Amino acid sequence: MTEFIRKRVKNVKNDVLSGITVALALVPEAVAFAFVAGVDPLVGLYAAFMVGLVTSIFGGRPGMISGATGALAVVMVSLVSEGNAMGSPDENLGLYYLFATVILMGLIQISAGVFKLGKFVRLIPHPVMMGFVNGLAIVIFLAQLGMFKSTVNGEKVWLEGNSLWYMVGLVLLTMLIMWGLPKIKVTKKLPEALIAILVVAGIVIFANLDVATVGSFIRDGGGEGLKGGLPTLHLETFSKIPMNFETLKFIFPYALILAAIGLIESLMTLNLIDDLTETRGNTNRECVAQGSANMLTGLFGGMGGCAMIGQSIINIKGGGRGRLSGITAAVMLLIFIVFASSYIERVPIAALVGVMFMVVIGTFAWSSFRILNKIPRTDVFVLILVSGLTVIFDLAIAVLAGVIVSALVFSWENAKRIRARKRLKEDGTKVYEIWGPLFFGSISAFNDKFDVKNDPQHIEIDFVEARISDHSAIEAIFALVEKYQAEGKSIVLKHLSEDCKVLLYKSSPIFAGIIEEAIDDPRYHLAANPEDFTKPLSEYKF
């Protein structure tokens, strides 16, 4: 019992300290994504707080961090601008259309969880997963490069002179501390990311260095500062915009895209955290939690969000494994906003950039370079394709394209594996022994195996080594039987599965006497099975 309590106390300490580190890293990210979406920084910060809190408590993956993300923000830009164009310049309707869209997005995500669509994340191939990880690492890296710019006369320009050298030096110092502390084993009491942030912040404050801080970053972006109050209900959303079909037609496509991106990024991050922690999360529960969090965020004036791979990895690497880590991060973020804004605004951006660069190094699947010449070329193509599309477009398009290409390649490869061994019995009957999967992709090759006109009078087709996979295969068998019977030849089908026989019996009476029953018939089920077969097989015969 003492050992159990000691482990629990240690885990609580790790969760709390890791959560504080994540909260510090969340501030500039949430603010930056709010600027990308064209809304006030507090809209992004409130979203990070509410989405993070709800998913940490009710989500399907303890230790995973959620908040406002860039993948969603880039879609919200056009939504906000189009919404603003629908009203007068001083109405700012785009913000209210955004809140309504986030609420609808949440409903779609909850529906996905209720109908257990989260399990389909299992269909995502490993090359797509590696491409997703690499692409997001590149996106996170590119996002940090924007921190090496300052605003001059309303334009973003690259840092020069001492400002640039200070920034580079502090970033490298942060990375060196995070890399070196585990090597020299100075302390395991605090996460290395938190120590690095505190050390670099102390150097900047006591040396009075003129570098960009969280506060200056917010003001350069047009914000007034980090200070804010508790989030409040934005029920005026339902009065500011018309609640009619036209509004639904406008926001629904955006809500659908946002819901898809949010779920894909969340579920793939969940899979990644599963691998890192060697545990298993609940995908459907995560869908419901993400949807509920986004509905709540929309009602309280937040921009919505999903899982954040960078912050999740910071949390896991810092020792955060339980729900308390995510709860701590969300609550600390709110405390920063309400009570400690003046202190957090003094944290140098360089320290946070250094932390994120270390996240990039830890996130990128460096092993993908080592295995490029060891895996099929099609998998290499999919890996590079998903990485590139994640950077160029967004995660949903990248993953969808990767899954489609992988599915087409799989279908093509399996379509070439259909074989037919031919032999003659002593009585002159020609036997076709079919090998391989019979499905929509292999139908053409299957038909090429038969010589209907030149075959003898009696034909036997044995499917014992074949797999009838879909309705296209059933139709191919039906068409083949018709061709042989049109030539006046007899045909017998052997070793078909039970549900395959049922479908053939129901499709036409011509199968009544040509399907041979055997006790060693295969026992698999067709993907095209239209119903649960509750009646005995004999009742389907003509």
Side-chain angles (χ1 to χ4, degrees):
M1 179 60 72
T2 304
E3 183 66 20
F4 174 76
I5 294 172
R6 187 182 296 117
K7 288 182 179 179
R8 295 294 295 177
V9 171
K10 181 181 178 181
N11 194 61
V12 167
K13 180 203 70 176
N14 290 340
D15 283 348
V16 171
L17 292 176
S18 183
I20 294 172
T21 308
V22 170
L24 289 170
L26 275 172
V27 174
E29 293 279 304
V31 172
F33 297 146
F35 287 146
V36 169
V39 296
D40 188 87
L42 283 177
V43 176
L45 291 167
Y46 286 150
F49 160 65
M50 284 180 284
V51 174
L53 183 63
V54 173
T55 54
S56 296
I57 296 173
F58 302 106
R61 172 67 266 173
M64 190 166 75
I65 305 298
S66 296
T69 63
L72 298 179
V74 294
V75 178
M76 295 173 181
V77 177
S78 57
L79 167 64
V80 173
S81 61
E82 284 187 50
N84 285 332
M86 293 183 179
S88 59
D90 59 337
E91 283 185 302
N92 197 23
L93 288 183
L95 189 62
Y96 296 105
Y97 278 110
L98 173 61
F99 296 155
T101 303
V102 170
I103 294 171
L104 182 57
M105 163 193 173
L107 281 172
I108 295 172
Q109 291 177 326
I110 290 173
S111 301
V114 170
F115 290 105
K116 301 187 183 302
L117 301 182
K119 61 186 177 182
F120 287 106
V121 74
R122 303 172 193 163
L123 299 179
I124 297 176
H126 189 66
V128 176
M129 188 68 182
M130 292 186 75
F132 153 77
V133 170
N134 291 349
L136 277 187
I138 295 170
V139 169
I140 294 171
F141 172 78
L142 295 176
Q144 305 314 306
L145 294 183
M147 304 297 181
F148 288 82
K149 295 181 179 181
S150 63
T151 303
V152 178
N153 298 324
E155 293 185 4
K156 287 283 187 180
V157 296
W158 291 101
L159 295 174
E160 296 178 346
N162 288 338
S163 297
L164 176 61
W165 291 116
Y166 283 148
M167 183 72 173
V168 172
L170 293 172
V171 168
L172 291 177
L173 177 60
T174 304
M175 297 174 68
L176 181 63
I177 293 172
M178 291 185 64
W179 174 80
L181 283 179
K183 303 288 184 183
I184 60 178
K185 300 178 180 179
V186 172
T187 178
K188 292 185 179 179
K189 301 293 184 183
L190 296 173
E192 57 266 20
L194 182 57
I195 295 175
I197 292 171
L198 293 175
V199 169
V200 174
I203 292 172
V204 169
I205 293 171
F206 289 111
N208 198 26
L209 298 179
D210 184 19
V211 296
T213 63
V214 171
S216 65
F217 174 76
I218 294 174
R219 286 184 285 274
D220 285 347
E224 297 180 358
L226 187 63
K227 181 69 176 178
L230 294 172
T232 57
L233 271 173
H234 277 60
L235 296 178
E236 63 267 27
T237 298
F238 303 103
S239 59
K240 289 284 187 178
I241 59 176
M243 293 290 108
N244 54 29
F245 180 73
E246 291 300 318
T247 297
L248 180 63
K249 190 167 69 171
F250 170 58
I251 67 173
F252 182 76
Y254 284 107
L256 192 61
I257 294 171
L258 291 171
I261 294 173
L263 288 182
I264 290 172
E265 184 161 1
S266 296
L267 296 180
M268 294 188 75
T269 302
L270 182 147
N271 272 359
L272 180 63
I273 302 302
D274 282 353
D275 292 339
L276 290 175
T277 59
E278 296 182 352
T279 56
R280 186 60 54 199
N282 188 320
T283 54
N284 294 315
R285 180 174 177 178
E286 186 63 33
C287 291
V288 174
Q290 291 284 341
S292 303
N294 281 311
M295 284 190 66
L296 186 68
T297 303
L299 290 171
F300 278 86
M303 61 182 284
C306 63
M308 308 179 76
I309 187 171
Q311 277 68 19
S312 297
I313 290 179
I314 290 175
N315 187 45
I316 296 300
K317 298 291 186 183
R321 293 291 189 274
R323 297 186 183 276
L324 184 60
S325 58
I327 295 171
T328 301
V331 172
M332 288 303 300
L333 183 61
L334 184 64
I335 291 174
F336 294 162
I337 297 170
V338 178
F339 302 109
S341 59
S342 59
Y343 299 104
I344 301 303
E345 286 181 4
R346 300 181 69 182
V347 174
I349 287 293
L352 302 174
V353 171
V355 171
M356 295 310 295
F357 277 163
M358 292 301 289
V359 168
V360 169
I361 294 172
T363 301
F364 195 90
W366 301 101
S367 61
S368 57
F369 292 116
R370 188 178 67 252
I371 65 173
L372 284 180
N373 61 344
K374 300 177 181 178
I375 61 177
R377 292 181 180 179
T378 52
D379 286 346
V380 174
F381 174 74
V382 169
L383 194 158
I384 297 173
L385 175 69
V386 174
S387 299
L389 291 179
T390 300
V391 176
I392 298 170
F393 297 104
D394 60 57
L395 182 63
I397 292 175
V399 172
L400 185 62
V403 171
I404 290 174
V405 171
S406 297
L408 290 174
V409 169
F410 175 81
S411 298
W412 179 258
E413 291 298 323
N414 278 274
K416 297 187 294 183
R417 293 177 182 171
I418 194 76
R419 296 285 186 273
R421 185 164 60 187
K422 307 164 188 176
R423 61 185 174 87
L424 288 173
K425 288 184 175 181
E426 294 181 0
D427 61 359
T429 300
K430 188 174 184 179
V431 178
Y432 288 89
E433 294 179 352
I434 308 299
W435 296 62
L438 185 58
F439 67 110
F440 66 91
S442 60
I443 298 304
S444 178
F446 171 74
N447 289 329
D448 290 341
K449 308 297 180 186
F450 300 92
D451 187 358
V452 177
K453 290 189 177 295
N454 298 319
D455 275 346
Q457 191 66 27
H458 301 289
I459 304 298
E460 183 180 293
I461 305 178
D462 191 342
F463 293 93
V464 69
E465 297 294 341
R467 175 71 181 244
I468 314 298
S469 301
D470 60 8
H471 184 66
S472 297
I474 296 290
E475 287 297 316
I477 295 172
F478 178 76
L480 184 65
V481 169
E482 280 194 322
K483 288 178 183 178
Y484 274 111
Q485 291 187 341
E487 293 290 329
K489 299 175 181 181
S490 66
I491 182 170
V492 174
L493 306 178
K494 296 178 63 176
H495 294 117
L496 292 170
S497 68
E498 293 296 298
D499 52 339
C500 183
K501 294 175 188 175
V502 169
L503 289 174
L504 290 174
Y505 286 141
K506 292 177 69 176
S507 64
S508 173
I510 66 173
F511 292 99
I514 67 173
I515 297 179
E516 183 179 293
E517 302 288 349
I519 59 172
D520 59 342
D521 285 338
R523 297 178 180 236
Y524 57 78
H525 294 282
L526 282 175
N529 189 5
E531 60 177 325
D532 292 322
F533 298 112
T534 55
K535 295 187 292 184
L537 184 61
S538 58
E539 293 188 22
Y540 289 98
K541 292 185 178 181
F542 293 90

